[in-house]
C-alpha cells in the first residue's frame, strides 16, 4: 500500500490543505505545533474512522480534532494497493452516526465496493 495524496478540508488547525506523498519514504519535519500529529491522526481517521464516546470524562479525538474554523470536518486520502488507486472520502459529525464514508476507484472515478467502511481493518488486518 502506498499513500499518494491527501486533501484535508478541516481537521484540527489544518484546513483546505493538499498534501502529496512521493514514492518511497516521506519525512514530515516541522516545528512543534505545526500539524505533524494532526496529519498522522487524519490518516488514521481516513482508514479507521473516529471513535465516539457519549461519556465526556475526557476530550475525545473527535472533539480534539474538530476544525477550529467550524468548516467541513474531514477530507480525502488517495492511495494505491497493488495496481489499483482508491480515494477514501470521509466527513465526521458530532457522533459516529453522522459520519459519512465513500470509496472510489481513483482511475475511473466510480464508487468502489472493494472495501467497506472498515477499510483499515480489511487492509492492515488490525
Amino acid at each position: 500500500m502506498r499513500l499518494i495524496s491527501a486533501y484535508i478540508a478541516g481537521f484540527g488547525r489544518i484546513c483546505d490543505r493538499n498534501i502529496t506523498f512521493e514514492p518511497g519514504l516521506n519525512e514530515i519535519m516541522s516545528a512543534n505545533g505545526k500539524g505533524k500529529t494532526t496529519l498522522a491522526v487524519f490518516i488514521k481517521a481516513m482508514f479507521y474512522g473516529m471513535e465516539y464516546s457519549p461519556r465526556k470524562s475526557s476530550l475525545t479525538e473527535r472533539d480534539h480534532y474538530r476544525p477550529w474554523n467550524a468548516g467541513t470536518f474531514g477530507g480525502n486520502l488517495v492511495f494505491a494497493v497493488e495496481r489499483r488507486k482508491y480515494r477514501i472520502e470521509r466527513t465526521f459529525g458530532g457522533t459516529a452516526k453522522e459520519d459519512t464514508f465513500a470509496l472510489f476507484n481513483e482511475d475511473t472515478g466510480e464508487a468502489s465496493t472493494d472495501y467497506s467502511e472498515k477499510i483499515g481493518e480489511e487492509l492492515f488486518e488490525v
Side-chain angles (χ1 to χ4, degrees), residues 1-6 18-28 39 43 77-80 85:
M1 203 253 346
R2 181 175 81 84
L3 296 179
I4 297 171
S5 66
N18 288 298
I19 299 165
T20 301
F21 300 98
E22 300 298 326
L25 183 64
N26 287 254
E27 290 184 71
I28 312 273
L39 174 60
I43 293 169
L77 185 68
V78 178
F79 65 98
K85 290 182 189 175

Side-chain angles (χ1 to χ4, degrees), residues 20-99:
T20 301
F21 300 98
E22 300 298 326
L25 183 64
N26 287 254
E27 290 184 71
I28 312 273
M29 296 175 30
S30 64
N32 288 342
K34 296 297 181 184
K36 298 178 299 293
T37 300
T38 301
L39 174 60
V41 174
F42 173 81
I43 293 169
K44 181 187 85 162
M46 288 294 104
F47 284 111
Y48 291 96
M50 296 193 83
E51 291 184 29
Y52 169 71
S53 173
R55 294 184 219 127
K56 294 292 183 181
S57 60
S58 64
L59 191 65
T60 64
E61 277 188 348
R62 186 179 295 269
D63 294 328
H64 183 80
Y65 290 102
R66 187 172 313 283
W68 291 8
N69 67 358
T72 299
F73 187 10
N76 70 62
L77 185 68
V78 178
F79 65 98
V81 175
E82 297 174 7
R83 294 178 185 237
R84 287 196 175 167
K85 290 182 189 175
Y86 297 95
R87 182 178 71 251
I88 299 170
E89 294 183 358
R90 284 193 194 258
T91 59
F92 305 102
T95 68
K97 289 180 182 178
E98 297 170 1
D99 294 354

